[in-house]
Structures are given as C-alpha cells and as structure tokens.
Amino acid sequence: MLDFVIFAATFLLLLVGAVLYLYPASRQASGIPGMTPTDEKDGNLPDIVTCGSLHEFLVNLHEKYGPVVSYWFGRHLVISLGSIDVLKQHINPNRTSDPFETMLKSLLRYQSGLGGDVGESCLRKKLYETGVAKSLQSNFPVIQKLSEELLAKWLSIPESQHVPLSQHMLGFAMKAVTQTAMGSRFEDDQEVIRFRRNHDAIWAEIGKGFLDGSLDKSETRKKRYENALMEMELVLKKVIKERQGRNLSRHIFIDSLLQGNQSDKQVLEDTMIFSLAGSIITAKLCTWAMYFLTTSKEVQQKLYKELDQILGKGPVTYAKIEQLRYCRQVLCETVRTSKLTPIAARLQELEGRVDQHIIPKETLVLYALGVVLQDSSAWPLPYKFDPDRFDDETAMKNLSLLGFSGSQECPELRFAYMVATVLLSVVVRKLHLHPVEGQVIDIKYELVTSPKEEAWITVSKRN
C-alpha cells in the first residue's frame, strides 16, 4: 500500500488507495476546478478526514466547484464526476473491471483477474454472473425457507419489544449467501457462526487495520486477521474438493466456477469475494429497505396490496418475481435514498475529455454516485423516500446508468435484489413494520453505507 494511505482515517479512502496501488497514477496537473493540495505529501487527505468520509468531502467539493472537480490524494491527481450528464460522457458499458472486486482482491493479496487479458476478464465476468444467476434459481427454496424462519422469529416477539434490525439482517444475509455459494454445509448454524466470526474479523481490518497501519503494529490483531482468513480459505478448499467432478442436484455458486475450468485458486478467490461482498450488500439493502418501510405507512400498504394481489396467500415463486414491479421500485428507491454504494472508481487509461475538460492519461476518476443520487436536477425531492418516482422511465434509466439496475448492476447487487424481494414478500404480508419513536439514524459512509448504530424497529401482526 502506498505510504500516504496510512494518513487516512475513513474507509472509503481504501477504495482509492487500492486502485492506485494496482495502477500507475498521473502527477500531471489539470485545468479542472477543485482544491489545491493542503499538504505537500498528503494532498487533500487532511480535508477528507475533517469532513468525516470521502463521500461527505465530495458533496462539499461538488457543491463548491461544480459537476467536474479535482483534488489530490497524496501526490496523485484525482478527478470526480458528480452529475448524470458528465457520467454519461465517461461511463463505458463494456468495462469488465469492478471497483469493489478490485479493492477486495488487492487487500486479500489475490492477483488472478487483476490487470490480465481482456478476453479472459470477459470470460471470468460472464462465468461469475452466470454462477450467481444459476445458484439463485437453484436455491430459491432455500431463500424462501430462511425468510420464513425469520418471519417466525419476529412473530414470536412481543409488539412492544425492539427488534435489532441490522443484526438480524446480517445474520439472514450470511445464511443466504453461504448456503447459495457453498452449499448445505452452512445449514449448520455453527458453520454460519464461524463464518460470521471470521467475516467480521476480516472486514474489520479491511475497514481500519490496513488503512491506518495499525494491523502491522498489533501482533494480536494481525494473528486474528490471518487466522480468520486462513480458516475461511480452508473451508472453501474443503467445499471445492467435495464438489469437484460431482453432478449434484442442488447447484451452488461454486459449481459454476468449477464447471468453467478455472483453477482451484481462481475458484477460491472468486467465492471469497462473492461471500464477502454478497453478505454486506445483501444485509445493508435488506436493513435499509425494512427501515424505510417503517417511515412510510403509505409505501408499506401499497407494497402489501401488490404482494396480496399477485401472490395471494401462496408463496412467492421465481417466475412471479418479475411481476412485483412496485417491490422492485421500493428496492431501487432504497438504493438511491441510502446511497448504498456512494463511490465507484475507474482508471483513465488514455487521455479523455468530459465537457470542455481534458482528463490526463492514468488519472484516477471517481464516480461520486452518492452526490448524483441526491442531485435535485435528476431526482425531484431527493431526500424523500418515494418509490413512485421510478414510474418514470427516465428515473430507471438514470439508475441503470449508475450501475444500480439493468445490465450494469453488479452480480452481488443482483443477488441482493432477489433475496430482499423474497424476504419482503414473506414479512410484509404477515407483519406491520413500525419505527421506534425518537430514533435518529445517522449514516456511516463506507464502501457500503450503513447505520452508525443499531437500527431498531417494532413489528405487529396483520389481521
């Protein structure tokens, strides 16, 4: 990791650092408006730390300087794009790299698929996406069962008792991801508990220890991180060995990778990435969706009516998912309002142009998605949770352009949409979701946004 990374104190800087670690960076100044370096060595890192997160820094920067801005990350020029119009000029739909995958692979010291042959990258991307789609279809009954189990748990809770939403959603998401990706081994709650313990240890150090250099200074933490990573990899190796050369009736994610003639190392790495990213994205999407439903009785009732009309008293089926249009609008608006993933990053491999601005070769370009998702010129009343806004085809096209819908959405988000739809179809038909009076939810802006503290709700049975 570049030496200036240790001066950062916010998680999202890690995304930038990971990309700069993998690629050369431009030191060429530009005529793009923005901030001059505050510190000769650290650039504008002190300003980012003062703002609290990279997202909040970019909000201020774009408000002051406009949709195309520049700043310095250490001694590296960074350009940020913060409007639909400028993103349309820059986004390449044929891009095969994923900033989330790039960051995680670099931090886990995984090298396969990074900076390799374009043809190979396309094949791996297609194999990865196919694996997610096939495993979802094959494991649809598993996701239904897990949703029913969560419903039963909530039905047993007294109406006055507060439900720890974030905690329950993370547990639910981890069960869904592990059983879909790695199979029946994770029907055992003890295996899920071990996965969660190791996942939390790895994610905590990705969020802090690599960032501030403290991991290498603490032998205890470093050993805990390395042991967690080793234990997760050992489990994956066992699953790979169990599944190799076998034609099992229940298809899981890892089977698609094995059938694609990848090496065991590639299979292990891709499954690790899907398990880490899929768990976090699914958990946070479900958390925010449930929370936002508690803030609007009208939205909750409209969703209930759609579910009742299309599903009746029967279970949701894979075929009927596409008919739940309003449910998808609720989830799209959840992504937008929560700014679920507020930053994406791309390397400007060749000199380019946005509006009248020249972007130098080998410059890191950020897509300030969190800024764009709250832009009033693209989204009227941007701070209001309003799924009806996606009745407008333009709104859905804008969301697709940003990578949150359609062909550009990442496989982990596609998985999360499906799981969240099943969960909502089960819970909302049986329960009313209520807010906890006086609760204020502050947002923690990381690679995936989440409530800073536990989000509490209450539930009551529908008549």
Side-chain angles (χ1 to χ4, degrees), residues 22-35:
L22 292 170
Y23 302 105
S26 172
R27 296 179 183 272
Q28 179 180 347
S30 74
I32 296 174
M35 295 187 72

Side-chain angles (χ1 to χ4, degrees), residues 33 85 88 150 178 195 247 251 357 365 381 393 403 413 419 434:
D85 288 340
K88 283 179 180 177
L150 182 67
T178 54
F195 174 85
N247 188 17
H251 187 92
H357 304 294
V365 179
L381 300 175
E393 187 178 344
L413 182 58
V419 173
H434 308 287

Side-chain angles (χ1 to χ4, degrees), residues 35-316:
M35 295 187 72
T36 56
T38 301
D39 182 273
E40 182 180 351
K41 183 178 181 182
D42 301 331
N44 296 115
L45 291 181
D47 305 291
I48 297 172
V49 172
T50 299
C51 286
S53 72
L54 180 56
H55 164 71
E56 290 160 300
F57 170 76
L58 291 178
V59 168
N60 294 337
L61 201 61
H62 283 286
E63 283 181 354
K64 185 173 183 178
Y65 294 105
V68 184
V69 300
S70 64
Y71 70 96
W72 295 86
F73 187 84
R75 295 189 177 99
H76 298 256
L77 176 68
V78 180
I79 292 171
S80 178
L81 306 181
S83 77
I84 291 287
D85 288 340
V86 296
L87 285 173
K88 283 179 180 177
Q89 298 174 46
H90 193 266
I91 288 176
N92 179 0
N94 299 315
R95 207 43 99 169
T96 60
S97 61
D98 182 286
F100 205 125
E101 178 186 356
T102 297
M103 185 204 72
L104 288 181
K105 283 194 171 183
S106 66
L107 292 173
L108 296 169
R109 272 70 168 183
Y110 294 164
Q111 295 301 316
S112 56
L114 295 177
D117 178 76
V118 173
E120 179 186 348
S121 297
C122 288
L123 288 174
R124 289 192 69 187
K125 179 184 177 184
K126 185 175 181 180
L127 184 63
Y128 193 98
E129 292 175 345
T130 300
V132 172
K134 289 182 68 175
S135 61
L136 269 173
Q137 189 166 6
S138 179
N139 290 274
F140 195 81
V142 173
I143 297 168
Q144 286 178 303
K145 179 175 178 290
L146 293 172
S147 300
E148 294 286 352
E149 288 174 355
L150 182 67
L151 172 64
K153 183 175 183 176
W154 284 9
L155 284 168
S156 69
I157 295 176
E159 292 186 3
S160 60
Q161 183 172 320
H162 295 179
V163 177
L165 185 59
S166 298
Q167 179 183 326
H168 284 193
M169 292 300 97
L170 183 58
F172 167 77
M174 286 189 172
K175 288 181 179 180
V177 169
T178 54
Q179 292 186 36
T180 302
M182 295 174 282
S184 58
R185 168 187 290 267
F186 287 90
E187 292 173 6
D188 181 350
D189 284 347
Q190 291 304 311
E191 288 285 354
V192 179
I193 290 170
R194 278 191 287 271
F195 174 85
R196 182 168 180 171
R197 183 182 66 243
N198 292 326
H199 179 283
D200 289 350
I202 294 169
W203 199 259
E205 296 303 349
I206 286 176
K208 178 172 174 59
F210 280 108
L211 187 62
D212 60 12
S214 63
L215 180 62
D216 287 328
K217 298 174 184 177
S218 171
E219 286 299 322
T220 302
R221 284 173 51 195
K222 186 175 182 181
K223 185 176 181 181
R224 183 167 59 243
Y225 167 81
E226 291 174 346
N227 287 344
L229 186 60
M230 181 178 66
E231 189 171 330
M232 283 188 71
E233 290 182 345
L234 284 174
V235 171
L236 287 176
K237 289 175 181 177
K238 289 179 183 178
V239 176
I240 291 170
K241 187 175 181 180
E242 290 168 0
R243 308 291 295 196
Q244 273 178 328
R246 301 182 64 186
N247 188 17
L248 302 174
S249 58
R250 180 176 151 197
H251 187 92
I252 60 175
F253 175 74
I254 210 167
D255 292 336
S256 291
L257 303 183
L258 289 170
Q259 292 167 8
N261 296 320
Q262 292 195 90
S263 68
D264 287 357
K265 184 174 184 294
Q266 290 173 324
V267 172
L268 184 148
E269 292 180 2
D270 283 350
T271 307
M272 178 72 81
I273 296 300
F274 177 70
S275 300
L276 288 170
S279 294
I280 290 295
I281 291 176
T282 302
K284 301 314 176 187
L285 177 63
C286 291
T287 298
W288 285 119
M290 293 283 189
Y291 170 74
F292 286 133
L293 285 174
T294 70
T295 67
S296 175
K297 291 181 179 179
E298 294 78 12
V299 171
Q300 194 173 155
Q301 186 60 21
K302 187 172 180 178
L303 175 59
Y304 170 77
K305 287 182 177 180
E306 178 186 73
L307 294 170
D308 186 58
Q309 179 182 354
I310 293 175
L311 303 178
K313 297 192 181 299
V316 64

